[in-house]
Amino acid sequence: MTTQRNDDVRKRAQRILQGANVLIEGHFDFGNGYHGRTYLNPHMLFCQPSTIWQLAQDLLDVLPYEISTQVQAVVGPATGGALLAHTLAGLLDGRRSLEHPPCMFAPADYDLEEGLRLRSTYRAVLAGRKVLLADDVRNTGKTLSHCAELVRKAGGEVIATTQIYDRMATIVTLDVPNVPLLEYDARDIHTSTTCPLCAARVPLTSF
């Protein structure tokens, strides 16, 4: 796909996200030990199945061919990442011949005791497969890093990561290509102990 075509796809995706009122300003706990002023609210998207289908299609359009043709399974963390990963796996199947093995899907869910985990059924699915990690938003990169470790322990190989929005505030990176649909420069990010909004006693934003 040409650079111009990629640019057109990303501009269309940006219009979709703006129309869905995804960006919220306030004081947010990202759930991974970090706070920030801007939250990209995926729930505004996932209540509209046709919208996430379109964005997943756009993600596959900008994903390099040499990556998309290798993917054998897609993994995403609950909830938004899992919904996106499930859609991506289905779309990848739709692009392949009937003789090609199906693209598998595995969600990583949260357990109060274990934290992020893969259930035994999904661990078995990933053994020996090349995996694309997908999430709705990349904040610090810690969630994708945890997912990559789960995939490795299950015997899979992460070949790339992808997301709808990269906040460009990454603290943890993986040694594989990362392909965002869009980027949002939101590097004003702090640990929960150094957050200036917490110091100013600004309450966390709820929605």
Side-chain angles (χ1 to χ4, degrees):
M1 179 177 293
T2 65
T3 300
Q4 181 60 51
R5 170 63 175 151
N6 280 353
D7 289 344
D8 290 343
V9 168
R10 288 187 164 107
K11 287 177 182 178
R12 181 181 63 198
Q14 182 69 55
R15 290 194 297 270
I16 291 173
L17 290 166
Q18 288 172 338
N21 194 27
V22 172
L23 290 177
I24 305 174
E25 297 294 327
H27 177 196
F28 299 98
D29 181 346
F30 299 137
N32 57 6
Y34 291 87
H35 287 196
R37 298 176 184 272
T38 306
Y39 181 67
L40 298 163
N41 183 5
H43 304 292
M44 295 297 294
L45 296 175
F46 289 107
C47 62
Q48 305 176 57
S50 62
T51 300
I52 192 57
W53 185 93
Q54 179 62 65
L55 293 173
Q57 186 74 54
D58 291 342
L59 257 179
L60 290 183
D61 284 344
V62 301
L63 197 69
Y65 178 80
E66 60 271 19
I67 293 176
S68 63
T69 53
Q70 292 186 62
V71 176
Q72 298 170 315
V74 189
V75 171
T79 302
L83 289 170
L84 177 61
H86 187 272
T87 305
L88 288 171
L91 289 172
L92 281 168
D93 272 347
R95 295 183 174 200
R96 295 176 176 178
S97 67
L98 293 177
E99 293 77 19
H100 195 284
C103 183
M104 307 303 287
F105 159 71
D109 62 16
Y110 289 95
D111 179 82
L112 290 177
E113 296 183 359
E114 297 180 45
L116 200 63
R117 66 174 183 176
L118 283 168
R119 295 178 183 271
S120 59
T121 300
Y122 297 116
R123 290 198 299 270
V125 161
L126 298 178
R129 295 183 185 271
K130 294 183 178 181
V131 176
L132 174 67
L133 292 183
D135 205 354
D136 45 16
V137 178
R138 182 170 77 161
N139 288 308
T140 64
K142 290 179 68 175
T143 298
L144 287 174
S145 179
H146 290 162
C147 285
E149 180 64 14
L150 292 174
V151 170
R152 185 191 66 78
K153 289 180 178 179
E157 175 192 359
V158 175
I159 61 171
T161 60
T162 191
Q163 61 279 154
I164 295 173
Y165 246 127
D166 184 359
R167 289 176 58 94
M168 300 175 65
T170 309
I171 295 171
V172 180
T173 58
L174 303 177
D175 191 24
V176 296
N178 180 67
V179 183
L181 181 57
L182 294 165
E183 294 176 335
Y184 178 73
D185 193 351
R187 281 172 268 197
D188 181 17
I189 190 168
H190 306 273
T191 66
S192 57
T193 56
T194 62
C195 175
L197 296 172
C198 288
R201 299 184 181 278
V202 175
L204 290 171
T205 303
S206 60
F207 54 91

